[in-house]
Amino acid sequence: MKHFLLSVLLFVGLGAWAQPTAWTYALPAPAGVAAVAADAAGNAYVTGSFVGGSTQLGGTTISSSLPGRCLYIAKLSPQGQVLRVTKLEGAEEGSNTTGIAVDDDGNTYVSGRLHGTITYTGGQTVGAIDENFGYTVMLVKCGANGRVRWVKQAHGSQGGAYGASHGMGVAVDRAGNSYISGDVTGGYVVADALYLGSHRRDGILASYDRNGQVRWARALTSIRGSSGSSFALGVAVDNAGHCYLSGHSGGGWRLDGVTVTNAVESDYLALFDSGTGQVQWGRNVPSNTWGGALAIDRRGDACIGGDFVGTADFGNGLTLTSTTPTGYVARYDATGDIDWATAVNTSVKGVAVDQQSRKVFVTGSAGPQSYLTRLNANGRVQWQELVGGPGTSGGSGIAIDDENNVYTTGSFTGSCHFGALARSNAATQGYLARYGSHQPGRSGSHDNDFRTTTLNLFPNPAQNQLILRLDGQAEAGQATLYDHQGTPVASRTIQPAAADVHFDTSALPDGLYVLRVAAQGKTTTQQVTVQH
């Protein structure tokens, strides 16, 4: 039986999920950071690439012993310390990484494009499927220890050294199925053994199981043929079968009887069945939009973001107007209906959603400065934080953990200030920054939350019974037990002045669970183990 270490209590208010408090670190990254993800414990996962023997991530040196381009995947603690680095070395110029996702077990999934051959731990090598095809779509899975588990590729048979197939976004569900988006060009497009026909600058979406076996792969077909495009950019998935794909199209596309048309280039959003890959619907985001940043919330609604100029008519009476390039964020429900659309008066490059409150966090550039903006669940801008000058900066990627700590990537030049943290460099370089609480596991200031002395949970591990004791409880509340997939398995009402609350765990499978207690206008959660 696998044993789990008990976690510390996580204290968050119901209003919680309150806004973060300060920049807690800002790490220079001379070669830049391509993408960032975060886990529930506040660890950050980043990926990028460099040429030239070595680069820096904060105060850590990442070195490569092989000539060519080195792709890297790094895990950092909530304090910004680099805990481990995985290197894929020796790729040809043009190879890169573009997206990263992490699952509940700490496995990481990285998308990108490959040209040439990469070498990783133990001297193992993987080459592009056929160098005559140029770049290939690449998906890499690393285990929780950072070791490469497998590398998968898809490609189109475009001749020449610079045939265009690129991996872009990546996502993973709780079953360990991964999803990768990108674009392919060639008369013979394949994803593993799946033949997808002839395509030119068309979007691709593919899914692999936890062992790297392809589940399905789909390619969009441009309506304009060789003069059109249907680039796939972002992908996001939940556990209810929703798999969203965002992208940018010139002229529109078709697949499975679904057709999306546009007279000029614009963003699009589509919903696929995550089990079969069947497209459910597609929506053309208004003309003259570009970006494709994507995030999904716990209800299965999707937020897409980017830039627009002129008049953007989202339908349902929602119209945004701007005479200059301006950022937008829009939310669609799982039926394809628009909920809201908001102009944020900035350039939008990354979008993340808090799963509890459904608040939306956005990053990009506001003139010469990086920014973080928060929208409430109805799309209204609530708050903005700028990176200070006099230097210039621009945000690109964004992720959020369970405590509303926000992780963002971008670049800066000159002297810039992340709150009280000053960073300066004459040449342009990348950064990874965290905005949130200085105390890991705690977001904002919640001085009135439960104290550790008022909540007792025993025995832990539990065998046949779990007992919750709230000393001095003065108000009614609710206690809910969730399994490792976030599914409620038991719920109990807490009566005022109640002594003990009992949960029967005799029929529950062995494993890790989370007890969430809502009372006194506050919420607290604690991990528990069931072990028979």
Side-chain angles (χ1 to χ4, degrees):
M1 172 64 188
K2 182 179 179 180
H3 295 278
F4 296 93
L5 295 176
L6 295 181
S7 69
V8 297
L9 292 180
L10 304 177
F11 295 99
V12 289
L14 282 177
W17 321 107
Q19 93 178 35
T21 56
W23 295 102
T24 59
Y25 64 70
L27 307 180
V33 177
V36 60
D39 65 19
N43 300 301
Y45 301 78
V46 299
T47 186
S49 62
F50 63 92
V51 177
S54 67
T55 190
Q56 295 281 324
L57 180 58
T60 299
T61 299
I62 304 174
S63 300
S64 176
S65 59
L66 297 178
R69 181 164 288 275
C70 179
L71 316 179
Y72 72 87
I73 306 160
K75 177 181 179 180
L76 296 91
S77 73
Q79 294 78 24
Q81 300 168 325
V82 176
L83 301 177
R84 66 160 191 265
V85 178
T86 301
K87 295 178 290 184
L88 300 97
E89 303 174 77
E92 293 189 22
E93 186 61 31
S95 301
N96 64 7
T97 58
T98 52
I100 188 168
V102 58
D103 66 20
D104 292 342
D105 296 321
N107 302 303
T108 51
Y109 305 78
V110 173
S111 58
R113 67 184 185 189
L114 176 61
H115 188 45
T117 299
I118 49 175
T119 300
Y120 51 91
T121 306
Q124 299 181 73
T125 62
V126 170
I129 297 173
D130 189 327
E131 280 304 288
N132 292 326
F133 297 160
Y135 301 131
T136 65
V137 176
M138 178 181 67
L139 176 62
V140 180
K141 178 181 179 179
C142 294
N145 60 0
R147 293 183 66 90
V148 175
R149 295 282 184 85
W150 44 255
V151 179
K152 297 298 174 180
Q153 298 179 66
H155 72 89
S157 55
Q158 172 69 35
Y162 298 100
S165 292
H166 312 91
M168 295 302 295
V170 65
V172 60
D173 63 26
R174 283 185 172 171
N177 301 311
S178 52
Y179 305 77
I180 184 171
S181 62
D183 59 87
V184 287
T185 295
Y188 191 87
V189 173
V190 295
D192 282 358
L194 300 181
Y195 171 61
L196 302 177
S198 175
H199 294 272
R200 183 177 185 273
R201 300 187 300 179
D202 282 341
I204 187 174
L205 177 64
S207 178
Y208 295 80
D209 67 19
R210 62 173 58 250
N211 297 315
Q213 298 299 311
V214 64
R215 301 170 66 224
W216 49 260
R218 312 304 310 281
L220 310 178
T221 298
S222 297
I223 293 176
R224 290 181 182 171
S226 61
S227 65
S229 62
S230 59
F231 297 110
L233 300 174
V235 59
V237 64
D238 65 10
N239 297 300
H242 304 112
C243 179
Y244 284 96
L245 179 70
S246 66
H248 190 77
S249 174
W253 55 265
R254 63 171 63 93
L255 180 64
D256 295 336
V258 174
T259 300
V260 174
T261 60
N262 57 286
V264 297
E265 291 193 2
S266 65
D267 291 343
Y268 67 83
L269 180 67
L271 178 68
F272 290 72
D273 184 295
S274 64
T276 66
Q278 186 84 5
V279 65
Q280 306 297 297
W281 51 257
R283 297 289 183 269
N284 179 51
V285 180
S287 298
N288 294 315
T289 55
W290 61 96
L294 180 65
I296 189 172
D297 68 23
R298 60 187 172 88
R299 294 188 184 179
D301 298 341
C303 288
I304 183 171
D307 297 344
F308 78 98
V309 66
T311 299
D313 185 357
F314 290 84
N316 199 28
L318 297 174
T319 301
L320 304 179
T321 303
S322 177
T323 57
T324 59
T326 301
Y328 80 88
V329 180
R331 188 175 73 194
Y332 291 79
D333 66 22
T335 67
D337 291 333
I338 183 77
D339 285 341
W340 50 257
T342 300
V344 292
N345 297 320
T346 56
S347 178
V348 171
K349 300 300 182 184
V351 176
V353 180
D354 169 32
Q355 296 303 301
Q356 298 299 322
S357 68
R358 305 179 76 207
K359 294 176 181 177
V360 181
F361 292 80
V362 183
T363 192
S365 301
Q369 297 170 295
S370 296
Y371 73 89
L372 288 176
T373 291
R374 189 183 71 192
L375 287 68
N376 68 14
N378 296 319
R380 183 182 296 274
V381 175
Q382 291 185 314
W383 155 87
Q384 185 176 76
E385 175 79 14
L386 294 174
V387 174
T392 60
S393 57
S396 57
I398 191 170
I400 185 171
D401 67 20
D402 285 359
E403 294 298 307
N404 262 5
N405 298 302
V406 180
Y407 306 79
T408 182
T409 63
S411 61
F412 74 96
T413 306
S415 178
C416 293
H417 294 80
F418 297 78
L421 306 176
R423 300 291 180 262
S424 182
N425 200 76
T428 298
Q429 62 177 263
Y431 68 80
L432 167 67
R434 178 183 184 273
Y435 191 87
S437 169
H438 284 279
Q439 181 179 353
R442 190 176 174 93
S443 178
S445 177
H446 305 295
D447 294 337
N448 295 322
D449 289 352
F450 290 128
R451 306 299 184 191
T452 56
T453 57
T454 65
L455 185 150
N456 297 291
L457 193 61
F458 58 93
N460 196 352
Q463 185 174 7
N464 296 317
Q465 181 175 242
L466 179 67
I467 301 173
L468 168 67
R469 178 169 296 165
L470 287 170
D471 298 333
Q473 174 68 24
E475 297 178 14
Q478 194 76 19
T480 306
L481 190 65
Y482 296 83
D483 65 14
H484 70 286
Q485 293 185 329
T487 302
V489 295
S491 184
R492 300 287 184 271
T493 298
I494 302 172
Q495 300 298 334
D500 295 340
V501 178
H502 295 255
F503 289 85
D504 181 4
T505 59
S506 60
L508 294 179
D510 289 358
L512 185 66
Y513 293 77
V514 174
L515 183 69
R516 181 180 296 275
V517 179
Q520 303 178 18
K522 307 296 177 183
T523 299
T524 187
T525 61
Q526 184 175 351
Q527 290 183 352
V528 296
T529 300
V530 173
Q531 180 180 336
H532 297 102

